[in-house]
Amino acid sequence: MKKSPIFLWILILVSSVFAQQNVEIFGYYESQLMGAELNNDFYQLYTNKLRVDLQGEIADNVSFGANFDYITYHGKKQWNILNFLAPEVVNSIPDQQRQLYTLPFENRQFLDNAYLKIAFDWADFTAGKQQISLGTGYVWNPIDIFNVKDVLDPTYEQPGHNALRLDIPIQIRSTLTTIYAPHDNWNNSTKLIQFKTGLSRFDFTFTAIEKERVTHDYSQFIPSRQNFLELSEKRQLLGFSTVGELLGLGVYSEYAYNLMDDSDDFHEFVIGANYTFEFQTYVMLEFYRSELGKNNYHDYTITEWMQQYTQEKKTIGQDQLYLMIDHPITDYINFGLTGIHCLSDNSLSLVPTLEYSFTQNTQITMYLNTNFGKQGTMYAKDSGSGGMIRARVYF
Amino acid sequence: MILLFKDLRKTFPLLLIIVVILGVRLSASPNQNEQELTGAEIINKVDKLLTTNTSYSKMQMTIETTSGNKRTFVFESWSKNDGEKNLVRYLEPRRVKDQATLMLNDANDIWMYFPRTERVRKLATHAKKRKMQGSDFSYEDMGGSGDFDEDYDTKRLEDEEKNGHECYKVELNRKPDSDESYSRLLMWVRKDNFYPIFIEYYDEEDPTYLQKVLTQSNIEMIDGIPTAKKMVMKNLDDQSQTIMEVLEIEYGVEISDRKFTERGLKE
């Protein structure tokens, strides 16, 4: 933390040098207040984020991009997950271990993306920490084993991933992509090959991925490691996705079959449809099933909950439905209403949202989420309701 | 898809705009059988104005609300095959910098690129009705080539003067099998160069309900092609307007097909 001002100064200095060399510098400052209701009290977490982007061409067909993020947290910076869970889950944990389930929000500064891109006649090669987005789903992406989206804020940017990527265009609408994300050795490094093509009004994608899946058993704490028991196994994914139009509706789907080395193989899929009415209202419906999720909320263990909070798994409920209605009230204001329904435990969260283009480069986003589920369900009414307001200024 | 295409035409101005696409050869001599021209013949000549092989343009789009607030966007646009392929990339404001939209098959296929997440999303036809960046132009207005002839029956009305120019006035009624978004258009076409300088767009269902009005002005000859350097679209429902201004434009530029691929979208 003490180093961060120095880091910032270095960044500014480097940026100044770059500025004289046809390198673009831009980014944004973001101020965000999040809150959640807990035991009849309302707790807040306030976040400041500065993102500085650099982008430039080093030579013909050689470019680079990078961004540095500096984030500070204020307010309630320690959140114990147990406070949000049902007594039957909490009571399964020994008293002396309960403080272990605290998620800390500590100030951070890091290089989020930093990559070099070379455009050959026959392919694009990208090396470094970069964005990797896979799949056609809006909220859930079974094929994307690099990222997990926040269901309340699914379009928020994702972290960069260290990888070597080659995109080879084959025809106008066809591309072969390979990604190698190195880890300790070849075996536990991530390998991906994807073929994307188009036919008529549809795009199709075929994907194969091999990746080490690392999770934790949050019921077993290992004192010598000061961490929970780590579980690691090889995951091989075969996926398919499509997006197009059917009977006037926008439709998309994603399917992934996961072959696991140790645990049971599992399926995941998403299907969705959307439509824009003449009066500009946009409606989207997305259904997600994951066999990693449970059918009965009494089976949600502390490990399930923690894996979801730490984004080791996308959902703990097996079936979820996401309905979004969005309408531009004026040219600058969009109002939306989202309903997230976990069909497996019959819980529901309603999320009204508002987006306001306050000035040319200032965007204000806010939402309130109110839960209606029984105690112990994914969207339980006695915990987790809250909201967020975010102002972002681009420069 | 078709819908999109059609809209385009209606909004034909946009086309212009966008890229200006108009590659027009003013072929008609002003006085040629002026009295005998039918509505279809006039619209044919207008359609020809919208035919340009390739073009590059840099445009400024300013959205004005009734409260007087303004938002200004600057984007580059590349067009090929008489507007059948279009690529739009935003330069300003910073909020949307490098966002891009690829429109193929006369805007029946649209992909959007979001650089912060490297995500490319394909849009269905209906999404083309959405306002582009909150403007009074829809996505469909911004892509595709102009061909009113295919989708509308035309009828020449009594000539009128408009904005200081002698004009043919033509009514275009959507053909029964067409899925254009507008049921009816009224178009004022300059007699001296067949340039449509004023167009009224009527509701999809109600041909008496006026939705939008487009005015094209500052027409200059560029590379022998008449080009409106300013277009104003007024939305009568929202009481807002969007002004498109051509900052730069070139016709007949060499553009590789690679530009109009997902790879080009991300460049």
Side-chain angles (χ1 to χ4, degrees):
Chain A
M1 176 58 197
K2 287 180 181 174
K3 291 178 182 174
S4 43
I6 296 172
F7 200 108
L8 266 181
W9 279 113
I10 292 172
L11 181 76
I12 292 167
L13 184 65
V14 170
S15 302
S16 306
V17 174
F18 279 147
Q20 299 167 29
Q21 298 181 5
N22 202 25
V23 173
E24 285 188 273
I25 301 168
F26 53 98
Y28 62 76
Y29 163 72
E30 179 181 283
S31 185
Q32 176 177 295
L33 177 66
M34 287 191 74
E37 186 186 5
L38 189 61
N39 301 326
N40 297 321
D41 213 338
F42 196 80
Y43 292 96
Q44 301 172 83
L45 175 66
Y46 189 78
T47 310
N48 291 301
K49 176 178 176 182
L50 175 68
R51 171 174 165 140
V52 179
D53 288 84
L54 302 177
Q55 195 178 72
E57 286 223 5
I58 298 167
D60 283 350
N61 300 323
V62 181
S63 60
F64 80 95
N67 76 274
F68 169 79
D69 286 5
Y70 180 50
I71 306 172
T72 65
Y73 296 98
H74 311 273
K76 186 172 173 57
K77 297 194 284 185
Q78 306 275 331
W79 294 73
N80 192 313
I81 298 308
L82 301 184
N83 293 330
F84 294 91
L85 304 184
E88 63 188 82
V89 178
V90 177
N91 292 338
S92 68
I93 300 164
D95 284 349
Q96 66 274 19
Q97 285 191 14
R98 291 186 182 176
Q99 79 283 0
L100 299 174
Y101 298 92
T102 298
L103 295 182
F105 288 86
E106 294 170 349
N107 295 350
R108 298 187 291 156
Q109 55 280 324
F110 56 99
L111 203 55
D112 190 19
N113 296 280
Y115 59 87
L116 179 77
K117 186 171 184 177
I118 304 173
F120 299 103
D121 283 342
W122 56 279
D124 287 335
F125 175 68
T126 310
K129 208 171 178 198
Q130 57 192 284
Q131 292 290 303
I132 299 176
S133 296
L134 304 172
T136 53
Y138 179 77
V139 187
W140 296 284
N141 297 104
I143 291 172
D144 192 349
I145 58 178
F146 290 91
N147 307 294
V148 177
K149 294 175 181 171
D150 178 352
V151 291
L152 296 176
D153 199 7
T155 58
Y156 199 83
E157 64 206 31
Q158 299 290 335
H161 302 276
N162 284 303
L164 304 170
R165 175 175 182 146
L166 191 65
D167 293 291
I168 306 169
I170 296 173
Q171 289 179 327
I172 291 294
R173 286 180 67 180
S174 299
T175 305
L176 182 69
T177 297
T178 62
I179 294 175
Y180 179 70
H183 291 287
D184 300 355
N185 54 54
W186 170 263
N187 277 339
N188 64 10
S189 295
T190 303
K191 283 86 76 177
L192 174 149
I193 184 164
Q194 183 179 75
F195 178 67
K196 184 173 187 178
T197 190
L199 183 63
S200 184
R201 307 299 306 281
F202 281 84
D203 282 355
F204 300 95
T205 305
F206 304 88
T207 309
I209 309 174
E210 182 176 278
K211 189 177 190 295
E212 200 73 5
R213 180 169 189 250
V214 179
T215 58
H216 292 83
D217 180 343
Y218 288 97
S219 63
Q220 296 189 55
F221 186 72
I222 312 297
S224 60
R225 295 186 181 178
Q226 284 298 295
N227 202 354
F228 293 96
L229 177 65
E230 184 176 295
L231 306 169
S232 179
E233 63 179 318
K234 186 156 288 179
R235 173 186 193 175
Q236 292 175 313
L237 180 150
L238 293 174
F240 167 79
S241 70
T242 185
V243 57
E245 185 171 338
L246 204 60
L247 303 174
L249 291 175
V251 293
Y252 56 90
S253 66
E254 237 183 287
Y255 170 77
Y257 181 67
N258 295 270
L259 298 93
M260 308 302 293
D261 252 10
D262 301 325
S263 53
D264 293 339
D265 297 349
F266 65 95
H267 304 263
E268 284 181 284
F269 72 86
V270 155
I271 52 172
N274 54 42
Y275 190 74
T276 306
F277 290 93
E278 209 48 53
F279 43 91
Q280 295 288 310
T281 297
Y282 173 76
V283 178
M284 187 190 69
L285 185 66
E286 184 169 307
F287 172 76
Y288 171 54
R289 163 167 283 195
S290 169
E291 286 189 345
L292 273 188
K294 304 293 184 187
N295 245 334
N296 186 329
Y297 69 92
H298 294 295
D299 294 335
Y300 297 165
T301 63
I302 183 60
T303 292
E304 307 282 341
W305 283 107
M306 283 297 287
Q307 285 184 349
Q308 178 178 258
Y309 281 118
T310 56
Q311 300 195 328
E312 289 179 0
K313 66 163 52 175
K314 294 184 170 90
T315 179
I316 58 174
Q318 188 168 86
D319 296 330
Q320 290 205 69
L321 200 59
Y322 184 95
L323 172 67
M324 180 175 78
I325 301 169
D326 184 78
H327 182 77
I329 299 172
T330 71
D331 289 342
Y332 304 150
I333 299 176
N334 262 48
F335 175 76
L337 180 64
T338 298
I340 311 164
H341 184 198
C342 179
L343 301 167
S344 307
D345 62 20
N346 200 28
S347 63
L348 172 71
S349 185
L350 285 181
V351 191
T353 60
L354 194 72
E355 285 199 348
Y356 177 31
S357 170
F358 183 65
T359 69
Q360 182 100 325
N361 278 310
T362 306
Q363 188 82 13
I364 295 174
T365 306
M366 59 184 85
Y367 68 73
L368 292 171
N369 60 296
T370 308
N371 297 346
F372 296 93
K374 287 181 186 171
Q375 189 178 63
T377 58
M378 280 192 76
Y379 307 109
K381 66 180 175 187
D382 56 354
S383 64
S385 293
M388 185 276 294
I389 180 166
R390 173 195 301 145
R392 184 183 279 188
V393 181
Y394 294 85
F395 57 85
Chain B
M1 149 182 210
I2 304 160
L3 203 152
L4 194 43
F5 184 55
K6 302 168 179 180
D7 249 20
L8 296 184
R9 285 143 195 185
K10 313 164 190 170
T11 340
F12 132 84
L14 302 189
L15 303 180
L16 279 186
I17 301 183
I18 271 221
V19 187
V20 180
I21 298 177
L22 320 187
V24 176
R25 300 279 160 185
L26 292 193
S27 49
S29 58
N31 298 319
Q32 175 190 341
N33 304 321
E34 187 177 292
Q35 297 305 319
E36 293 77 23
L37 284 174
T38 64
E41 288 169 332
I42 294 167
I43 292 305
N44 246 322
K45 291 180 185 295
V46 171
D47 280 342
K48 283 182 184 173
L49 287 181
L50 302 180
T51 305
T52 272
N53 188 17
T54 62
S55 66
Y56 162 80
S57 63
K58 188 172 175 182
M59 315 288 294
Q60 178 171 292
M61 177 173 79
T62 305
I63 306 168
E64 294 182 3
T65 63
T66 46
S67 58
N69 285 324
K70 289 184 182 179
R71 298 285 184 274
T72 301
F73 296 81
V74 177
F75 60 84
E76 291 178 295
S77 175
W78 294 262
S79 172
K80 195 169 183 178
N81 295 356
D82 303 333
E84 181 259 336
K85 298 178 177 182
N86 277 292
L87 177 68
V88 172
R89 187 184 314 284
Y90 290 94
L91 303 173
E92 296 175 22
R94 289 292 189 185
R95 181 166 59 83
V96 296
K97 180 178 158 35
D98 290 335
Q99 280 186 22
T101 306
L102 173 65
M103 292 170 272
L104 300 182
N105 302 323
D106 290 316
N108 285 312
D109 289 303
I110 296 184
W111 291 264
M112 294 188 71
Y113 169 62
F114 302 93
R116 288 196 187 279
T117 54
E118 276 289 307
R119 187 166 285 275
V120 175
R121 287 187 70 85
K122 188 177 190 307
L123 302 185
T125 303
H126 61 76
K128 300 165 190 171
K129 301 174 197 167
R130 302 186 86 172
K131 294 180 169 193
M132 194 181 83
Q133 301 291 357
S135 75
D136 297 297
F137 292 96
S138 62
Y139 285 101
E140 64 186 337
D141 289 339
M142 300 299 291
S145 55
D147 193 356
F148 297 97
D149 209 17
E150 263 187 30
D151 295 294
Y152 290 93
D153 290 319
T154 55
K155 179 183 171 187
R156 181 174 170 180
L157 305 179
E158 193 171 334
D159 295 350
E160 281 184 7
E161 186 180 303
K162 197 75 173 175
N163 299 338
H165 298 282
E166 282 298 317
C167 290
Y168 300 111
K169 184 178 177 182
V170 183
E171 181 181 31
L172 297 91
N173 288 292
R174 186 176 54 197
K175 292 178 179 176
D177 58 345
S178 167
D179 57 0
E180 285 288 326
S181 295
Y182 303 96
S183 60
R184 188 168 78 109
L185 306 179
L186 283 181
M187 188 183 294
W188 282 257
V189 179
R190 268 173 63 163
K191 287 188 174 181
D192 58 347
N193 61 10
F194 287 93
Y195 206 92
I197 58 169
F198 194 83
I199 303 176
E200 293 181 349
Y201 300 92
Y202 290 81
D203 181 69
E204 183 169 18
E205 304 299 331
D206 181 359
T208 64
Y209 185 76
L210 181 58
Q211 269 190 327
K212 291 180 180 179
V213 173
L214 178 74
T215 304
Q216 302 197 101
S217 59
N218 297 5
I219 296 167
E220 294 179 15
M221 293 297 285
I222 296 174
D223 298 335
I225 297 171
T227 304
K229 299 199 78 176
K230 183 176 183 182
M231 286 145 279
V232 180
M233 179 71 92
K234 288 189 178 176
N235 187 320
L236 304 180
D237 284 338
D238 298 345
Q239 290 298 303
S240 58
Q241 69 173 20
T242 299
I243 301 164
M244 285 275 198
E245 292 166 283
V246 178
L247 303 178
E248 294 173 31
I249 185 158
E250 288 178 68
Y251 294 108
V253 291
E254 191 172 326
I255 306 175
S256 162
D257 279 338
R258 169 181 153 173
K259 191 82 183 168
F260 304 98
T261 64
E262 185 170 321
R263 188 184 188 192
L265 188 64
K266 291 180 172 180
E267 275 176 352

